[in-house]
Amino acid sequence: MDNNIIVGTAGHIDHGKTTLIKALTGEDTDRLLEEKERGISIELGFTHLQNEETESLNLNLGIVDVPGHQKFVNKMLAAAGGIDLTLIVVAADEGVMPQTKEHLSILELMGAEKAIIVISKKDLVDNEWLELVKLDILDQFENTFAGNAEMITVSAVTGEGIAKLKTKIIKLASNTKVSLNSEIPYYPIDRVFSLKGQGTVVTGTLFKGELFEGQELQLYPSAKKIKIKSMESHQKKLKKVRSGSRVGINLNYPDKNEIKRGDVISTADSLISTNFLEAKLKVLNSINFKIKNGDRIHFHTGTTEVMGTINLYGKQVAFPGDEIFIKIKLDHKISPYYRQKFVIRRFSPIDTIGGGEILEIDPPPRRKINSEKLIAHLNLLEEVDLKTALELFIKNMTGSAAELIQLKKKTALKTEKILELLSDLKEENKIFELKNDSSFIHTDNFKSIEKDIKEIVNDYHQQNRLKVGITREEIRSRLNFDLTKKELDKVLGILTTEQVLQEKDSLIAASNFSVQLTEKEKKQKQFILDKINNNYFSPPTRKELLAEDEELEAVINYLEHNSELVRLDQELYFDKDIFLKLQNLLRKYFRENESIELAEFRDLINSSRRYALVLLEKCDQLQFTLRRGDLRYPGKDL
């Protein structure tokens, strides 16, 4: 398996970064005419380092050369997130300069871990001066990620130290951990152009996952569909590339003007496009200004740069060296992933403020949450492992269940990996699954829903003492938590299994609830039943019963819900045994007669046409009778 490592340069303008890369690889990474005329790098430059040793180690070393001018720090930032090993270049004749420091700060904020300090232009100074430069570097790089980095002195003009530097680069690169491929592909674009006969080509570093020739993907944040026609890395055509690769992709997308630096290629429905982020900001010690709520900023992550505004949580002002949680509102949508590194710079003058990790992508509204609780939540997200972070994302969904697709977008993990982590959380009783592998709720939120449902049911019982229970849909309409019908069914199923609730005839009731009639209501019940049964096939209508006593309505409804009365239309109620009696009457009648018409049925039950018609139509539905024209014949269920 190939190991794909990106080596990037850093350092002040005119300290020899591009010349150094040419000495290492034989390639001039300054491709623009303006760069050659001015003698400075303006855009990112790309090449690779390859020799017999890298081939024997299956090591692919991509090289990214960054501009050193302060004006082009944004270009350096577009490369910094994908660098695995940094060559911090310091010219021997000038020593550490402002952009050396800023580049070093940016790399540290972006999570850089490995570096080689390259002291260039050795041929321009004597040994005594060289030793002073080394001491200055040690002093200024102390307590940074490059504090213990090896220093190698070189001259790109004479070639001194170049072979030693190559050996060191290969050694460090071969020991660099390859990114895991449990994540979705994440490919930030840093360059877009067209090639005659090929069409649109993009270049970038594959931060995460894998890409395949022919793969159908999505462009973010626009959500446009794209497809990979072909891929090339280090001048080789490839069918598949893995994380850490520097790769050019030929897309079957006709208009290159619709793609720009900062756009991201990934699988469909795998990233959130948003203007809002929450993050931990580490303010640089070196700045000489303070940060205020509402400050305008330049926000950098991946290869994107976008303007925005920051809000500080728990403070109105942040000072040099502070670490603080912030909310970022961006002018345009971006599509980052959880714990992606970022850097922010001041709006004007453009100085680097600090950076950190993105913790919440598209966070929910925070109007009702106090700052202490919010800070505690973000602090947890910063410290926990992926499984616990997944649990927190589910727990943070306080208004609805967490959908699998949302969790995929929040974590930038493959579906299989998320389901594996979710399975662990279920076994640990941290979450409930409401729909198979697609909808989940945290145990704490489930308990809150249980409490709300019990209150809804008990309130219903108090308002409707003589009703057996409440419908599922009414429970759903009263809940503050947004559940689909299937999700609510699952919740109610769990609560009935645990005997918190009971279900009868699709109605939900408290487990200890039963209808209890008062003495007065018992008398009303008997009065109604007597009235119905004394006029068995011609009972009084609902309206007629209520005309005698308006308070009978609740008891009538109770008798209906309790199946002691059968209701056939808005007004007519019959005894519960009405159909058994009708069945017996019809059986006896059809023993002697082939068919029956409405008038004959009316006479059979000794009732009026109104009652006879309703009852006979019900007999048709029950298939006691079979209608042909105006006649009825014995039905199959008689």
Side-chain angles (χ1 to χ4, degrees):
M1 184 182 293
D2 288 351
N3 195 8
N4 304 300
I5 302 298
I6 302 298
V7 180
T9 62
H12 199 76
I13 184 172
D14 202 30
H15 276 207
K17 296 184 295 298
T18 305
T19 306
L20 174 67
I21 296 306
K22 186 173 183 180
L24 286 168
T25 67
E27 295 285 337
D28 184 357
T29 55
D30 281 348
R31 55 187 170 79
L32 302 179
L33 179 61
E34 185 181 357
E35 289 178 315
K36 296 184 184 298
E37 288 177 349
R38 294 175 61 182
I40 63 170
S41 297
I42 296 170
E43 271 290 353
L44 299 174
F46 307 104
T47 184
H48 67 285
L49 175 60
Q50 184 178 8
N51 57 26
E52 290 181 0
E53 189 175 2
T54 61
E55 290 179 2
S56 68
L57 293 169
N58 293 321
L59 189 60
N60 294 322
L61 289 177
I63 308 287
V64 182
D65 184 28
V66 306
H69 196 289
Q70 196 273 342
K71 183 179 177 181
F72 304 124
V73 170
N74 61 326
K75 309 290 177 65
M76 181 269 176
L77 277 158
I83 292 173
D84 301 300
L85 170 60
T86 310
L87 305 181
I88 304 173
V89 181
V90 181
D93 59 335
E94 290 191 325
V96 175
M97 295 289 282
Q99 289 318 120
T100 318
K101 294 178 182 179
E102 186 168 18
H103 282 197
L104 185 66
S105 295
I106 288 169
L107 287 163
E108 189 143 41
L109 292 169
M110 297 298 276
E113 295 179 352
K114 291 189 176 183
I116 301 170
I117 300 168
V118 182
I119 303 175
S120 63
K121 303 186 181 184
K122 181 187 177 184
D123 54 294
L124 298 182
V125 300
D126 57 29
N127 288 335
E128 185 178 350
W129 180 261
L130 188 62
E131 290 305 312
L132 290 173
V133 169
K134 288 181 180 179
L135 288 172
D136 184 48
I137 290 171
L138 285 173
D139 181 52
Q140 300 214 45
F141 284 19
E142 189 178 9
N143 298 321
T144 71
F145 81 99
N148 295 316
E150 183 174 341
M151 292 186 201
I152 297 179
T153 307
V154 303
S155 169
V157 175
T158 66
E160 183 181 352
I162 297 298
K164 181 181 178 182
L165 178 57
K166 276 187 187 179
T167 301
K168 184 64 179 179
I169 290 170
I170 293 168
K171 182 179 179 182
L172 277 179
S174 63
N175 291 325
T176 298
K177 185 180 179 182
V178 178
S179 299
L180 297 174
N181 284 309
S182 59
E183 296 131 330
I184 58 159
Y186 191 88
Y187 178 88
I189 295 168
D190 54 41
R191 190 173 164 222
V192 188
F193 55 94
S194 293
L195 287 178
K196 191 174 181 179
Q198 293 188 47
T200 303
V201 176
V202 296
T203 66
T205 300
L206 182 58
F207 278 28
K208 295 173 176 288
E210 298 174 328
L211 293 174
F212 306 89
E213 184 179 278
Q215 191 174 11
E216 294 184 351
L217 298 158
Q218 202 161 304
L219 185 71
Y220 294 89
S222 66
K224 294 183 174 101
K225 293 180 180 179
I226 56 173
K227 186 176 180 180
I228 296 176
K229 288 166 65 176
S230 62
M231 296 185 292
E232 185 176 301
S233 182
H234 307 319
Q235 301 174 357
K236 293 179 183 177
K237 294 280 187 182
L238 297 172
K239 299 284 186 184
K240 171 183 173 181
V241 293
R242 298 177 64 251
S243 58
S245 299
R246 180 76 205 164
V247 58
I249 303 176
N250 184 201
L251 298 172
N252 71 336
Y253 199 82
D255 191 353
K256 76 175 182 67
N257 295 318
E258 291 186 6
I259 305 174
K260 64 183 183 302
R261 172 182 286 171
D263 286 350
V264 174
I265 290 175
S266 188
T267 48
D269 298 322
S270 58
L271 295 173
I272 298 172
S273 296
T274 183
N275 299 81
F276 297 95
L277 305 166
E278 288 176 335
K280 175 75 169 286
L281 172 66
K282 181 179 181 181
V283 183
L284 293 176
N285 280 307
S286 56
I287 66 170
N288 58 2
F289 53 90
K290 58 189 177 183
I291 317 301
K292 300 187 296 297
N293 252 331
D295 275 356
R296 294 284 288 165
I297 53 140
H298 296 260
F299 179 86
H300 300 263
T301 192
T303 58
T304 193
E305 175 186 6
V306 60
M307 301 296 298
T309 305
I310 60 170
N311 290 305
L312 315 180
Y313 285 148
K315 286 187 177 183
Q316 291 299 312
V317 179
F319 296 94
D322 278 356
E323 293 190 18
I324 187 169
F325 292 107
I326 61 171
K327 182 175 185 176
I328 304 165
K329 181 182 179 183
L330 301 172
D331 292 358
H332 304 288
K333 288 185 177 182
I334 66 167
S335 302
Y337 56 85
Y338 171 56
R339 283 185 174 165
Q340 185 168 351
K341 302 289 186 180
F342 71 90
V343 168
I344 60 173
R345 306 182 78 213
R346 192 157 57 155
F347 178 70
S348 181
I350 304 178
D351 298 313
T352 301
I353 293 171
E357 285 186 336
I358 297 169
L359 300 175
E360 275 277 15
I361 302 165
D362 198 29
R366 303 296 194 187
R367 298 183 192 94
K368 295 181 181 180
I369 191 169
N370 65 54
S371 59
E372 286 184 9
K373 187 174 180 181
L374 175 56
I375 289 168
H377 166 71
L378 294 173
N379 197 53
L380 274 175
L381 280 177
E382 182 192 18
E383 296 175 354
V384 298
D385 58 19
L386 265 176
K387 184 174 75 173
T388 310
L390 194 63
E391 181 195 346
L392 289 172
F393 288 138
I394 297 170
K395 186 176 181 179
N396 203 36
M397 298 286 289
T398 54
S400 63
E403 298 285 338
L404 180 65
I405 192 167
Q406 294 172 305
L407 299 174
K408 184 177 178 181
K409 290 178 177 183
K410 281 278 191 182
T411 59
L413 292 173
K414 287 182 179 177
T415 302
E416 311 88 82
K417 182 62 178 177
I418 294 177
L419 290 176
E420 179 188 319
L421 296 175
L422 289 170
S423 178
D424 290 344
L425 291 171
K426 283 189 289 184
E427 287 183 14
E428 294 166 10
N429 296 318
K430 301 286 182 63
I431 63 170
F432 286 94
E433 182 180 69
L434 298 186
K435 287 191 292 187
N436 285 346
D437 289 344
S438 66
S439 174
F440 306 87
I441 186 172
H442 194 270
T443 302
D444 289 355
N445 293 338
F446 185 89
K447 288 176 180 176
S448 176
I449 292 172
E450 178 184 346
K451 180 174 177 288
D452 288 349
I453 290 175
K454 285 165 70 176
E455 287 177 358
I456 290 168
V457 171
N458 288 331
D459 179 65
Y460 186 85
H461 289 328
Q462 288 178 7
Q463 301 297 322
N464 304 274
R465 288 190 313 100
L466 299 185
K467 289 188 178 180
V468 174
I470 184 172
T471 65
R472 292 165 180 264
E473 197 54 39
E474 189 164 356
I475 291 174
R476 195 161 79 97
S477 69
R478 293 193 192 184
L479 271 177
N480 291 323
F481 205 89
D482 186 17
L483 293 174
T484 66
K485 288 182 179 180
K486 287 187 177 180
E487 289 170 345
L488 180 63
D489 286 346
K490 181 71 172 183
V491 171
L492 294 176
I494 293 169
L495 295 178
T496 51
T497 300
E498 293 178 352
Q499 298 185 340
V500 174
L501 301 173
Q502 59 174 312
E503 181 177 3
K504 182 181 180 182
D505 299 329
S506 298
L507 296 174
I508 304 300
S511 59
N512 60 352
F513 177 79
S514 62
V515 175
Q516 300 293 328
L517 298 179
T518 64
E519 289 302 317
K520 181 180 178 181
E521 288 164 344
K522 287 176 183 177
K523 290 177 181 178
Q524 290 173 328
K525 171 185 172 181
Q526 194 58 51
F527 173 80
I528 294 166
L529 291 176
D530 288 345
K531 283 282 187 180
I532 298 290
N533 290 320
N534 289 341
N535 302 275
Y536 203 82
F537 290 112
S538 306
T541 64
R542 179 186 182 92
K543 185 176 181 180
E544 289 168 342
L545 287 168
L546 293 179
E548 296 199 38
D549 184 352
E550 289 183 357
E551 294 182 0
L552 294 178
E553 185 170 20
V555 181
I556 293 171
N557 292 335
Y558 160 75
L559 290 170
E560 180 186 351
H561 286 298
N562 212 37
S563 301
E564 294 187 58
L565 290 180
V566 177
R567 185 175 189 173
L568 290 191
D569 68 13
Q570 288 295 102
E571 286 292 319
L572 295 182
Y573 292 87
F574 295 87
D575 182 84
K576 65 181 184 334
D577 294 327
I578 184 73
F579 298 115
L580 180 61
K581 292 199 175 186
L582 279 174
Q583 196 174 29
N584 290 331
L585 280 172
L586 287 168
R587 280 175 181 164
K588 185 177 179 181
Y589 179 86
F590 283 127
R591 287 192 195 109
E592 299 175 3
N593 301 278
E594 182 181 356
S595 64
I596 191 170
E597 61 181 5
L598 177 59
E600 291 169 331
F601 181 75
R602 178 197 62 202
D603 294 339
L604 179 67
I605 63 174
N606 191 26
S607 184
S608 68
R609 177 183 173 85
R610 179 189 179 188
Y611 291 102
L613 181 60
V614 171
L615 288 169
L616 192 54
E617 285 177 346
K618 189 65 178 179
C619 288
D620 292 341
Q621 290 178 22
L622 295 171
Q623 298 189 52
F624 293 172
T625 54
L626 175 64
R627 181 175 181 176
R628 291 177 187 162
D630 292 333
L631 298 176
R632 263 80 173 184
Y633 296 86
K636 68 172 188 173
D637 291 334
L638 183 59

